[in-house]
Coordinates of all heavy atoms in Angstrom, one line a residue:
M1 N -67.6 2.0 8.1 CA -67.2 2.5 6.8 C -66.3 3.8 7.1 O -65.3 4.0 6.5 CB -68.3 2.9 6.0 CG -67.9 3.4 4.7 SD -67.1 2.1 3.7 CE -66.8 3.0 2.2
Q2 N -66.7 4.6 8.1 CA -66.0 5.8 8.4 C -64.5 5.4 9.1 O -63.6 6.1 8.8 CB -66.7 6.6 9.5 CG -66.0 7.8 9.9 CD -65.9 8.8 8.7 OE1 -66.6 8.8 7.8 NE2 -65.1 9.8 8.8
I3 N -64.5 4.3 9.8 CA -63.2 3.9 10.4 C -62.3 3.5 9.2 O -61.1 3.7 9.2 CB -63.4 2.7 11.3 CG1 -64.2 3.2 12.5 CG2 -62.1 2.1 11.8 CD1 -64.6 2.2 13.6
R4 N -62.8 2.7 8.2 CA -62.0 2.2 7.1 C -61.5 3.5 6.3 O -60.3 3.4 6.0 CB -62.8 1.3 6.2 CG -62.9 -0.1 6.7 CD -63.7 -1.0 5.7 NE -63.6 -2.3 6.1 CZ -62.8 -3.2 5.6 NH1 -61.9 -2.8 4.7 NH2 -62.7 -4.4 6.1
Q5 N -62.2 4.4 6.1 CA -61.9 5.6 5.4 C -60.8 6.4 6.1 O -59.8 6.8 5.6 CB -63.1 6.5 5.1 CG -62.7 7.7 4.1 CD -63.9 8.4 3.8 OE1 -65.0 8.3 4.5 NE2 -63.9 9.2 2.7
T6 N -61.0 6.5 7.4 CA -60.1 7.2 8.2 C -58.7 6.5 8.3 O -57.6 7.1 8.1 CB -60.6 7.3 9.7 OG1 -61.8 8.1 9.6 CG2 -59.6 8.2 10.5
L7 N -58.8 5.1 8.4 CA -57.6 4.4 8.4 C -56.8 4.5 7.1 O -55.6 4.6 7.0 CB -57.9 2.9 8.7 CG -56.7 1.9 8.8 CD1 -55.8 2.4 9.9 CD2 -57.2 0.5 9.1
A8 N -57.6 4.5 6.0 CA -57.0 4.6 4.6 C -56.3 5.9 4.5 O -55.1 6.0 4.0 CB -58.1 4.5 3.5
I9 N -56.9 7.0 4.9 CA -56.3 8.3 4.9 C -55.0 8.3 5.7 O -54.0 8.9 5.3 CB -57.3 9.4 5.3 CG1 -58.4 9.5 4.3 CG2 -56.6 10.8 5.5 CD1 -59.6 10.3 4.7
A10 N -55.1 7.8 6.9 CA -53.9 7.8 7.8 C -52.7 7.0 7.2 O -51.6 7.5 7.3 CB -54.3 7.2 9.2
I11 N -53.1 5.9 6.7 CA -52.0 5.0 6.0 C -51.4 5.7 4.9 O -50.1 5.8 4.8 CB -52.6 3.7 5.5 CG1 -52.9 2.8 6.8 CG2 -51.5 3.0 4.6 CD1 -53.6 1.5 6.4
S12 N -52.2 6.4 4.1 CA -51.7 7.2 3.0 C -50.8 8.3 3.4 O -49.7 8.5 2.9 CB -52.8 7.8 2.2 OG -53.7 6.7 1.7
A13 N -51.2 9.0 4.5 CA -50.4 10.1 5.0 C -49.0 9.7 5.5 O -48.0 10.3 5.3 CB -51.2 10.9 6.0
I14 N -49.0 8.6 6.3 CA -47.9 8.1 6.9 C -46.9 7.6 5.8 O -45.7 7.9 5.8 CB -48.2 6.9 7.8 CG1 -48.9 7.5 9.1 CG2 -46.9 6.2 8.2 CD1 -49.4 6.4 9.9
V15 N -47.3 6.9 4.8 CA -46.5 6.4 3.7 C -45.9 7.6 2.9 O -44.7 7.6 2.6 CB -47.2 5.4 2.8 CG1 -46.4 5.1 1.5 CG2 -47.5 4.1 3.5
L16 N -46.7 8.5 2.6 CA -46.2 9.7 1.8 C -45.2 10.5 2.6 O -44.2 10.9 2.1 CB -47.4 10.5 1.4 CG -48.2 9.9 0.2 CD1 -49.4 10.8 -0.1 CD2 -47.4 9.7 -1.0
L17 N -45.5 10.7 3.9 CA -44.5 11.5 4.7 C -43.2 10.8 4.9 O -42.1 11.4 4.8 CB -45.2 11.8 6.1 CG -46.3 12.8 6.0 CD1 -46.9 13.0 7.4 CD2 -45.8 14.2 5.5
T18 N -43.2 9.5 5.1 CA -42.0 8.8 5.3 C -41.3 8.4 4.0 O -40.0 8.4 4.0 CB -42.2 7.4 6.1 OG1 -43.1 6.7 5.3 CG2 -42.8 7.7 7.5
A19 N -41.9 8.3 2.9 CA -41.3 8.0 1.7 C -40.5 9.2 1.1 O -39.5 8.9 0.5 CB -42.4 7.6 0.7
T20 N -40.9 10.4 1.4 CA -40.2 11.5 0.8 C -38.9 11.7 1.5 O -38.0 12.3 0.9 CB -41.1 12.8 1.0 OG1 -41.4 13.0 2.4 CG2 -42.3 12.7 0.1
G21 N -38.7 11.2 2.7 CA -37.4 11.4 3.4 C -36.4 10.2 3.1 O -35.3 10.2 3.7
C22 N -36.9 9.2 2.4 CA -36.0 8.0 2.3 C -35.1 8.2 1.1 O -35.4 8.8 0.1 CB -36.9 6.8 2.1 SG -37.9 6.4 3.5
A23 N -33.9 7.5 1.1 CA -33.0 7.5 0.1 C -33.4 6.5 -0.9 O -34.2 5.6 -0.6 CB -31.6 7.3 0.6
V24 N -32.8 6.5 -2.1 CA -33.1 5.5 -3.1 C -32.6 4.2 -2.6 O -31.4 4.1 -2.2 CB -32.5 6.0 -4.4 CG1 -32.6 4.8 -5.5 CG2 -33.1 7.2 -5.0
Q25 N -33.3 3.1 -2.8 CA -32.9 1.8 -2.4 C -32.2 1.1 -3.5 O -32.3 1.5 -4.6 CB -34.1 1.1 -1.8 CG -34.8 1.6 -0.6 CD -36.0 0.8 -0.2 OE1 -36.5 -0.1 -0.9 NE2 -36.5 1.1 1.0
R26 N -31.5 0.0 -3.1 CA -30.8 -0.8 -4.1 C -31.7 -1.3 -5.1 O -32.9 -1.8 -4.8 CB -30.1 -2.0 -3.4 CG -29.2 -2.7 -4.4 CD -28.7 -4.1 -3.9 NE -28.3 -4.0 -2.5 CZ -28.1 -5.2 -1.9 NH1 -28.2 -6.3 -2.4 NH2 -27.7 -5.2 -0.6
G27 N -31.4 -1.3 -6.3 CA -32.3 -1.8 -7.5 C -33.1 -0.8 -8.1 O -33.7 -1.0 -9.1
Q28 N -33.1 0.4 -7.5 CA -33.9 1.5 -8.1 C -32.9 2.5 -8.7 O -31.9 2.9 -8.0 CB -34.8 2.2 -7.1 CG -35.9 1.2 -6.7 CD -36.8 1.8 -5.7 OE1 -36.3 2.5 -4.7 NE2 -38.1 1.7 -5.8
E29 N -33.2 3.0 -9.9 CA -32.2 3.9 -10.5 C -32.4 5.5 -10.1 O -31.5 6.2 -10.1 CB -32.4 3.8 -12.0 CG -32.0 2.4 -12.5 CD -32.1 2.3 -14.0 OE1 -32.2 3.2 -14.7 OE2 -32.0 1.1 -14.4
T30 N -33.7 5.8 -9.8 CA -33.8 7.3 -9.6 C -34.7 7.4 -8.3 O -35.5 6.6 -7.9 CB -34.5 7.9 -10.7 OG1 -35.9 7.3 -10.9 CG2 -33.8 7.8 -12.1
V31 N -34.7 8.7 -7.9 CA -35.6 9.0 -6.7 C -37.0 9.0 -7.3 O -37.9 8.6 -6.5 CB -35.2 10.5 -6.1 CG1 -36.3 10.8 -5.1 CG2 -33.9 10.4 -5.6
G32 N -37.2 9.4 -8.5 CA -38.6 9.3 -9.1 C -39.2 7.9 -9.1 O -40.4 7.7 -8.8
A33 N -38.4 6.9 -9.4 CA -38.8 5.5 -9.4 C -39.2 5.1 -7.9 O -40.2 4.4 -7.7 CB -37.7 4.5 -9.9
Y34 N -38.5 5.6 -6.9 CA -38.8 5.4 -5.5 C -40.1 6.0 -5.1 O -41.0 5.3 -4.5 CB -37.6 5.8 -4.6 CG -38.0 5.6 -3.2 CD1 -37.7 4.3 -2.6 CD2 -38.5 6.5 -2.4 CE1 -38.1 4.0 -1.3 CE2 -38.9 6.2 -1.0 CZ -38.7 5.0 -0.6 OH -39.0 4.7 0.8
V35 N -40.3 7.1 -5.5 CA -41.6 7.9 -5.2 C -42.7 7.1 -5.9 O -43.8 7.0 -5.3 CB -41.5 9.4 -5.6 CG1 -42.9 10.0 -5.5 CG2 -40.5 10.1 -4.7
D36 N -42.6 6.7 -7.2 CA -43.6 6.0 -7.9 C -44.0 4.7 -7.1 O -45.1 4.4 -7.0 CB -43.2 5.7 -9.3 CG -43.1 6.9 -10.2 OD1 -43.6 8.0 -9.8 OD2 -42.5 6.8 -11.3
D37 N -42.9 4.0 -6.7 CA -43.2 2.7 -6.0 C -43.9 3.0 -4.7 O -44.8 2.3 -4.4 CB -41.9 2.0 -5.7 CG -41.3 1.4 -7.0 OD1 -42.0 1.3 -8.0 OD2 -40.1 1.0 -7.0
A38 N -43.6 4.0 -3.9 CA -44.2 4.4 -2.7 C -45.7 4.7 -3.0 O -46.5 4.3 -2.2 CB -43.5 5.5 -2.1
G39 N -45.9 5.4 -4.0 CA -47.3 5.8 -4.4 C -48.1 4.6 -4.7 O -49.3 4.5 -4.3
I40 N -47.6 3.6 -5.5 CA -48.3 2.4 -5.8 C -48.6 1.6 -4.6 O -49.7 1.1 -4.3 CB -47.4 1.6 -6.8 CG1 -47.3 2.1 -8.2 CG2 -48.0 0.1 -6.9 CD1 -46.3 1.5 -9.1
T41 N -47.6 1.5 -3.6 CA -47.8 0.8 -2.4 C -49.0 1.4 -1.6 O -49.9 0.8 -1.0 CB -46.6 0.8 -1.5 OG1 -45.5 0.1 -2.2 CG2 -46.7 0.1 -0.2
T42 N -49.0 2.7 -1.6 CA -50.1 3.5 -0.8 C -51.4 3.2 -1.5 O -52.4 3.0 -0.7 CB -49.8 5.0 -0.9 OG1 -48.5 5.2 -0.2 CG2 -50.8 5.8 -0.1
V43 N -51.5 3.3 -2.7 CA -52.8 3.0 -3.4 C -53.3 1.6 -3.1 O -54.4 1.4 -2.8 CB -52.7 3.3 -4.9 CG1 -54.0 2.9 -5.6 CG2 -52.4 4.8 -5.1
V44 N -52.4 0.6 -3.3 CA -52.8 -0.8 -3.0 C -53.3 -0.9 -1.6 O -54.4 -1.5 -1.4 CB -51.6 -1.8 -3.3 CG1 -51.9 -3.2 -2.9 CG2 -51.2 -1.7 -4.7
K45 N -52.5 -0.5 -0.6 CA -52.9 -0.6 0.8 C -54.3 0.1 1.0 O -55.2 -0.4 1.7 CB -51.9 0.0 1.7 CG -50.7 -0.9 1.9 CD -51.0 -2.3 2.5 CE -51.1 -2.2 4.0 NZ -51.3 -3.5 4.6
T46 N -54.4 1.3 0.5 CA -55.7 2.0 0.6 C -56.9 1.2 0.0 O -58.0 1.1 0.6 CB -55.6 3.4 -0.1 OG1 -54.5 4.1 0.5 CG2 -56.9 4.2 0.1
R47 N -56.7 0.6 -1.1 CA -57.8 -0.2 -1.7 C -58.1 -1.4 -0.9 O -59.2 -1.9 -0.8 CB -57.4 -0.5 -3.1 CG -57.5 0.7 -4.0 CD -57.4 0.4 -5.4 NE -57.4 1.6 -6.2 CZ -57.1 1.7 -7.5 NH1 -56.8 0.7 -8.2 NH2 -57.2 2.9 -8.2
F48 N -57.0 -1.9 -0.2 CA -57.2 -3.1 0.7 C -58.1 -2.7 1.8 O -59.0 -3.4 2.3 CB -55.9 -3.7 1.2 CG -55.1 -4.5 0.3 CD1 -53.9 -5.0 0.6 CD2 -55.6 -4.9 -1.0 CE1 -53.1 -5.8 -0.2 CE2 -54.9 -5.6 -1.9 CZ -53.6 -6.0 -1.5
V49 N -57.8 -1.5 2.4 CA -58.6 -1.0 3.5 C -60.0 -0.8 3.1 O -61.0 -1.1 3.9 CB -58.0 0.3 4.1 CG1 -58.9 1.0 5.1 CG2 -56.6 0.0 4.7
E50 N -60.3 -0.2 1.9 CA -61.6 0.0 1.4 C -62.4 -1.2 1.1 O -63.6 -1.2 1.0 CB -61.5 0.9 0.2 CG -61.0 2.4 0.5 CD -60.7 3.1 -0.8 OE1 -60.7 2.5 -1.9 OE2 -60.5 4.3 -0.6
N51 N -61.7 -2.3 0.8 CA -62.4 -3.6 0.4 C -62.7 -4.4 1.6 O -61.8 -4.8 2.3 CB -61.6 -4.3 -0.6 CG -62.2 -5.5 -1.2 OD1 -62.7 -6.4 -0.5 ND2 -62.3 -5.5 -2.5
K52 N -63.9 -4.8 1.8 CA -64.3 -5.5 3.0 C -64.0 -7.1 2.9 O -64.0 -7.7 3.9 CB -65.8 -5.5 3.1 CG -66.4 -4.1 3.5 CD -67.8 -4.0 3.7 CE -68.2 -2.6 3.8 NZ -69.7 -2.4 4.0
Q53 N -63.5 -7.5 1.7 CA -63.1 -8.9 1.7 C -61.6 -9.1 2.0 O -61.2 -10.3 2.0 CB -63.4 -9.4 0.2 CG -64.9 -9.4 -0.2 CD -65.1 -9.7 -1.6 OE1 -64.2 -9.4 -2.5 NE2 -66.2 -10.3 -1.9
V54 N -60.9 -8.0 2.1 CA -59.4 -8.1 2.3 C -59.1 -7.6 3.7 O -59.5 -6.4 4.0 CB -58.6 -7.4 1.2 CG1 -57.2 -7.4 1.5 CG2 -58.9 -8.0 -0.2
D55 N -58.3 -8.3 4.5 CA -57.9 -7.8 5.8 C -56.6 -7.1 5.6 O -55.6 -7.7 5.5 CB -57.7 -8.9 6.8 CG -57.3 -8.5 8.1 OD1 -57.3 -7.3 8.4 OD2 -57.1 -9.4 9.0
A56 N -56.6 -5.8 5.5 CA -55.4 -5.0 5.1 C -54.3 -5.2 6.2 O -53.1 -5.1 5.8 CB -55.8 -3.6 4.9
A57 N -54.7 -5.4 7.4 CA -53.7 -5.5 8.5 C -52.9 -6.8 8.4 O -51.8 -6.8 8.9 CB -54.4 -5.4 9.9
S58 N -53.4 -7.8 7.7 CA -52.7 -9.1 7.6 C -51.8 -9.2 6.3 O -51.2 -10.2 6.2 CB -53.8 -10.2 7.6 OG -54.5 -10.2 8.8
I59 N -51.9 -8.2 5.4 CA -51.2 -8.4 4.2 C -50.2 -7.2 4.0 O -50.6 -6.1 4.1 CB -52.2 -8.4 3.0 CG1 -53.1 -9.5 3.1 CG2 -51.4 -8.5 1.6 CD1 -54.2 -9.7 2.1
K60 N -48.9 -7.6 3.8 CA -47.9 -6.6 3.6 C -47.7 -6.3 2.1 O -47.7 -7.3 1.3 CB -46.6 -7.1 4.2 CG -45.4 -6.1 4.1 CD -44.2 -6.7 4.8 CE -43.1 -5.7 4.7 NZ -41.9 -6.2 5.4
V61 N -47.5 -5.1 1.8 CA -47.3 -4.7 0.3 C -46.0 -4.0 0.2 O -45.7 -3.1 1.0 CB -48.5 -3.7 -0.1 CG1 -48.2 -3.3 -1.5 CG2 -49.8 -4.3 0.1
E62 N -45.2 -4.4 -0.7 CA -43.9 -3.8 -1.0 C -43.9 -3.7 -2.6 O -44.3 -4.5 -3.3 CB -42.7 -4.7 -0.6 CG -42.7 -4.9 0.9 CD -41.4 -5.7 1.3 OE1 -40.3 -5.3 1.0 OE2 -41.6 -6.8 1.9
T63 N -43.3 -2.6 -3.0 CA -43.2 -2.3 -4.5 C -41.8 -1.9 -4.8 O -41.1 -1.2 -4.1 CB -44.1 -1.2 -4.9 OG1 -45.5 -1.4 -4.4 CG2 -44.2 -1.0 -6.4
L64 N -41.2 -2.5 -5.9 CA -40.0 -2.3 -6.4 C -40.0 -2.2 -8.0 O -40.3 -3.2 -8.6 CB -38.9 -3.3 -5.9 CG -37.5 -3.1 -6.4 CD1 -36.9 -1.8 -5.8 CD2 -36.6 -4.2 -5.9
N65 N -39.7 -1.1 -8.5 CA -39.7 -0.9 -9.9 C -41.1 -1.3 -10.6 O -41.1 -1.9 -11.6 CB -38.6 -1.6 -10.6 CG -37.2 -1.1 -10.2 OD1 -37.1 0.1 -10.0 ND2 -36.2 -1.9 -10.1
G66 N -42.1 -1.1 -9.9 CA -43.5 -1.3 -10.4 C -44.0 -2.8 -10.2 O -45.1 -3.1 -10.5
T67 N -43.1 -3.6 -9.6 CA -43.5 -5.0 -9.2 C -44.0 -5.0 -7.8 O -43.2 -4.6 -6.9 CB -42.4 -5.9 -9.4 OG1 -42.0 -6.0 -10.8 CG2 -42.8 -7.4 -9.0
V68 N -45.2 -5.4 -7.6 CA -45.8 -5.4 -6.2 C -45.6 -6.8 -5.6 O -46.0 -7.8 -6.3 CB -47.3 -5.0 -6.3 CG1 -47.9 -5.2 -4.9 CG2 -47.4 -3.6 -6.8
M69 N -45.1 -6.9 -4.4 CA -45.0 -8.2 -3.7 C -46.0 -8.2 -2.6 O -45.9 -7.2 -1.7 CB -43.6 -8.5 -3.2 CG -43.5 -9.8 -2.6 SD -41.9 -10.3 -2.4 CE -42.0 -11.3 -0.9
L70 N -46.8 -9.2 -2.5 CA -47.9 -9.2 -1.4 C -47.4 -10.5 -0.6 O -47.0 -11.5 -1.0 CB -49.2 -9.6 -2.0 CG -49.8 -8.6 -3.0 CD1 -51.1 -9.1 -3.6 CD2 -49.9 -7.2 -2.4
S71 N -47.4 -10.2 0.8 CA -47.0 -11.3 1.6 C -47.9 -11.2 2.9 O -48.6 -10.1 3.1 CB -45.6 -11.2 2.1 OG -45.3 -10.0 2.7
G72 N -48.0 -12.2 3.7 CA -48.8 -12.2 4.9 C -49.7 -13.4 4.8 O -49.4 -14.4 4.3
F73 N -50.9 -13.2 5.5 CA -51.9 -14.3 5.6 C -53.2 -13.9 5.2 O -53.7 -12.8 5.4 CB -51.9 -14.8 7.1 CG -50.5 -15.4 7.5 CD1 -49.7 -14.5 8.2 CD2 -50.2 -16.6 7.2 CE1 -48.5 -15.0 8.6 CE2 -48.9 -17.2 7.6 CZ -48.1 -16.3 8.3
A74 N -54.0 -14.8 4.6 CA -55.3 -14.6 4.1 C -56.1 -15.7 4.8 O -55.7 -16.8 5.1 CB -55.5 -14.8 2.7
K75 N -57.5 -15.4 5.1 CA -58.4 -16.4 5.7 C -58.7 -17.5 4.7 O -59.0 -18.7 5.1 CB -59.7 -15.7 6.1 CG -59.4 -14.7 7.1 CD -60.8 -14.0 7.5 CE -60.5 -12.6 8.1 NZ -60.7 -11.5 7.2
N76 N -58.7 -17.2 3.4 CA -59.1 -18.2 2.4 C -58.5 -17.8 1.0 O -57.9 -16.8 0.8 CB -60.6 -18.4 2.3 CG -61.3 -17.1 2.1 OD1 -61.0 -16.3 1.3 ND2 -62.3 -16.8 2.9
G77 N -58.7 -18.8 0.1 CA -58.2 -18.5 -1.2 C -58.9 -17.3 -1.9 O -58.2 -16.6 -2.8
A78 N -60.1 -17.1 -1.7 CA -60.8 -15.9 -2.3 C -60.2 -14.6 -1.8 O -60.0 -13.7 -2.7 CB -62.3 -16.0 -1.9
E79 N -59.9 -14.5 -0.5 CA -59.2 -13.3 -0.1 C -57.9 -13.1 -0.8 O -57.5 -12.0 -1.2 CB -59.0 -13.3 1.4 CG -58.4 -12.1 2.0 CD -58.2 -12.1 3.5 OE1 -58.5 -13.1 4.2 OE2 -57.8 -11.0 4.0
R80 N -57.1 -14.1 -0.8 CA -55.8 -14.1 -1.5 C -55.9 -13.6 -2.9 O -55.2 -12.8 -3.4 CB -55.2 -15.6 -1.5 CG -53.8 -15.6 -2.1 CD -53.3 -17.0 -2.0 NE -51.9 -17.2 -2.3 CZ -51.4 -17.4 -3.5 NH1 -52.2 -17.4 -4.6 NH2 -50.1 -17.4 -3.7
N81 N -56.9 -14.2 -3.7 CA -57.1 -13.8 -5.1 C -57.7 -12.4 -5.2 O -57.2 -11.7 -6.2 CB -58.0 -14.8 -5.8 CG -57.5 -16.2 -5.9 OD1 -56.3 -16.4 -5.9 ND2 -58.3 -17.2 -6.0
T82 N -58.5 -12.0 -4.3 CA -59.0 -10.7 -4.3 C -57.9 -9.6 -4.1 O -57.8 -8.6 -4.8 CB -60.1 -10.4 -3.3 OG1 -61.2 -11.3 -3.6 CG2 -60.6 -9.0 -3.3
A83 N -57.0 -9.9 -3.2 CA -55.8 -9.0 -2.9 C -55.0 -8.9 -4.2 O -54.6 -7.7 -4.5 CB -55.0 -9.5 -1.7
E84 N -54.8 -10.0 -4.8 CA -53.9 -10.0 -6.1 C -54.6 -9.1 -7.1 O -54.0 -8.3 -7.8 CB -53.6 -11.3 -6.6 CG -52.7 -11.4 -7.8 CD -52.4 -12.8 -8.2 OE1 -52.5 -13.7 -7.5 OE2 -52.0 -12.9 -9.4
A85 N -55.9 -9.3 -7.3 CA -56.7 -8.6 -8.4 C -56.7 -7.1 -8.1 O -56.5 -6.3 -9.0 CB -58.1 -9.2 -8.4
I86 N -56.8 -6.7 -6.8 CA -56.7 -5.3 -6.4 C -55.4 -4.7 -6.9 O -55.3 -3.7 -7.5 CB -57.1 -5.1 -5.0 CG1 -58.5 -5.4 -4.7 CG2 -56.7 -3.7 -4.5 CD1 -58.9 -5.5 -3.2
A87 N -54.3 -5.4 -6.5 CA -53.0 -4.9 -6.8 C -52.8 -4.8 -8.3 O -52.2 -3.8 -8.8 CB -51.9 -5.9 -6.1
R88 N -53.3 -5.8 -9.0 CA -53.1 -5.7 -10.5 C -53.8 -4.6 -11.1 O -53.4 -4.1 -12.1 CB -53.5 -7.0 -11.1 CG -52.7 -8.2 -10.9 CD -53.0 -9.4 -11.8 NE -52.2 -10.5 -11.4 CZ -50.9 -10.7 -11.7 NH1 -50.3 -9.9 -12.4 NH2 -50.3 -11.8 -11.3
G89 N -54.9 -4.2 -10.4 CA -55.7 -3.1 -11.0 C -55.2 -1.7 -10.7 O -55.8 -0.7 -11.1
V90 N -54.1 -1.5 -10.1 CA -53.5 -0.2 -9.7 C -52.6 0.2 -10.8 O -51.8 -0.5 -11.4 CB -52.8 -0.2 -8.4 CG1 -52.0 1.0 -8.1 CG2 -53.7 -0.6 -7.2
K91 N -52.9 1.5 -11.2 CA -52.0 2.2 -12.3 C -50.6 2.1 -11.9 O -50.2 2.5 -10.8 CB -52.5 3.6 -12.5 CG -51.9 4.3 -13.7 CD -52.3 5.6 -13.9 CE -51.6 6.3 -15.0 NZ -52.0 7.7 -15.2
G92 N -49.7 1.7 -12.8 CA -48.3 1.7 -12.7 C -47.7 0.3 -12.3 O -46.6 0.2 -12.2
V93 N -48.6 -0.6 -11.9 CA -48.2 -1.9 -11.6 C -47.8 -2.7 -12.8 O -48.6 -2.8 -13.7 CB -49.3 -2.7 -10.7 CG1 -48.9 -4.1 -10.5 CG2 -49.6 -2.0 -9.4
V94 N -46.5 -3.2 -12.8 CA -46.0 -3.9 -13.9 C -46.3 -5.4 -13.7 O -46.6 -6.2 -14.7 CB -44.5 -3.7 -14.1 CG1 -43.9 -4.5 -15.1 CG2 -44.2 -2.2 -14.3
A95 N -46.1 -5.9 -12.4 CA -46.3 -7.3 -12.1 C -46.7 -7.4 -10.7 O -46.4 -6.6 -9.9 CB -45.0 -8.1 -12.5
V96 N -47.3 -8.6 -10.3 CA -47.7 -8.9 -8.9 C -47.1 -10.2 -8.5 O -47.3 -11.2 -9.3 CB -49.2 -8.9 -8.7 CG1 -49.5 -9.3 -7.3 CG2 -49.7 -7.5 -9.1
R97 N -46.3 -10.3 -7.5 CA -45.9 -11.5 -6.9 C -46.7 -11.8 -5.6 O -46.6 -11.0 -4.6 CB -44.4 -11.5 -6.5 CG -43.5 -11.4 -7.8 CD -42.0 -11.5 -7.3 NE -41.8 -12.6 -6.5 CZ -40.8 -12.6 -5.6 NH1 -39.9 -11.5 -5.5 NH2 -40.5 -13.7 -4.8
N98 N -47.5 -12.8 -5.7 CA -48.4 -13.1 -4.6 C -47.9 -14.2 -3.7 O -47.9 -15.4 -4.1 CB -49.9 -13.5 -5.2 CG -50.9 -13.6 -4.1 OD1 -50.6 -13.6 -2.9 ND2 -52.1 -13.6 -4.5
E99 N -47.3 -13.8 -2.6 CA -46.7 -14.7 -1.6 C -47.6 -14.8 -0.4 O -47.1 -15.3 0.7 CB -45.3 -14.2 -1.2 CG -44.4 -14.1 -2.4 CD -44.0 -15.4 -3.1 OE1 -44.0 -16.5 -2.3 OE2 -43.7 -15.4 -4.2
I100 N -48.9 -14.5 -0.5 CA -49.8 -14.6 0.6 C -50.1 -16.1 0.9 O -50.5 -16.8 0.0 CB -51.1 -13.8 0.3 CG1 -50.8 -12.4 0.0 CG2 -52.1 -14.0 1.5 CD1 -52.0 -11.6 -0.5
A101 N -50.0 -16.4 2.2 CA -50.2 -17.8 2.6 C -51.7 -17.8 3.1 O -52.2 -16.9 3.8 CB -49.3 -18.3 3.7
V102 N -52.4 -18.9 2.8 CA -53.8 -19.1 3.3 C -53.6 -19.9 4.6 O -53.1 -21.0 4.7 CB -54.6 -19.9 2.3 CG1 -56.1 -20.2 2.9 CG2 -54.7 -19.1 1.0
R103 N -54.3 -19.3 5.7 CA -54.3 -20.0 7.0 C -55.2 -21.2 7.0 O -56.3 -21.1 6.5 CB -54.7 -19.0 8.0 CG -53.8 -17.9 8.4 CD -54.2 -17.1 9.5 NE -53.3 -16.1 9.8 CZ -53.6 -14.9 10.3 NH1 -54.8 -14.6 10.6 NH2 -52.6 -14.0 10.5
P104 N -54.7 -22.3 7.5 CA -55.5 -23.5 7.5 C -56.6 -23.4 8.6 O -56.7 -22.6 9.4 CB -54.5 -24.6 7.9 CG -53.4 -24.0 8.4 CD -53.3 -22.5 8.0

């Protein structure tokens, strides 16, 4: 549990430190929107780390204008669905595109 919490804090710190130095990307209108998207991504990844049913290292999270895109691999359909449910539960998320593939 301590390792997961430490990893969550480290991921959060890295994302916040790198996000503040980045320019606005295509498709985003303001720096504020970019910062909001970075915050959403950080919260989703942190919740993945905290959840024992989701392998945070196997799932990539990207956010653009409040739409979260999940990609990567899951061990089973339950992990895939749990990751989507976690992302949908984060404040500020407008939509979730679940592109996670289930490994055979």
Side-chain angles (χ1 to χ4, degrees):
M1 185 62 179
Q2 182 66 18
I3 293 173
R4 283 182 169 265
Q5 187 176 18
T6 303
L7 183 59
I9 291 169
I11 289 172
S12 299
I14 290 169
V15 170
L16 288 174
L17 289 174
T18 58
T20 57
C22 296
V24 175
Q25 296 179 352
R26 186 188 323 165
Q28 292 177 316
E29 296 181 13
T30 65
V31 174
Y34 180 80
V35 172
D36 290 345
D37 287 343
I40 290 170
T41 299
T42 300
V43 172
V44 171
K45 284 298 274 184
T46 300
R47 290 191 182 168
F48 284 176
V49 170
E50 293 171 348
N51 189 300
K52 294 179 182 178
Q53 297 174 332
V54 176
D55 182 6
S58 297
I59 300 174
K60 183 176 180 182
V61 180
E62 296 180 63
T63 308
L64 182 63
N65 295 327
T67 299
V68 175
M69 182 166 149
L70 305 174
S71 60
F73 297 96
K75 295 178 203 103
N76 52 48
E79 181 181 7
R80 182 180 192 272
N81 294 336
T82 300
E84 182 176 343
I86 289 170
R88 286 190 189 282
V90 172
K91 183 180 178 185
V93 173
V94 176
V96 176
R97 290 185 51 207
N98 191 344
E99 301 293 330
I100 300 171
V102 177
R103 289 187 179 147

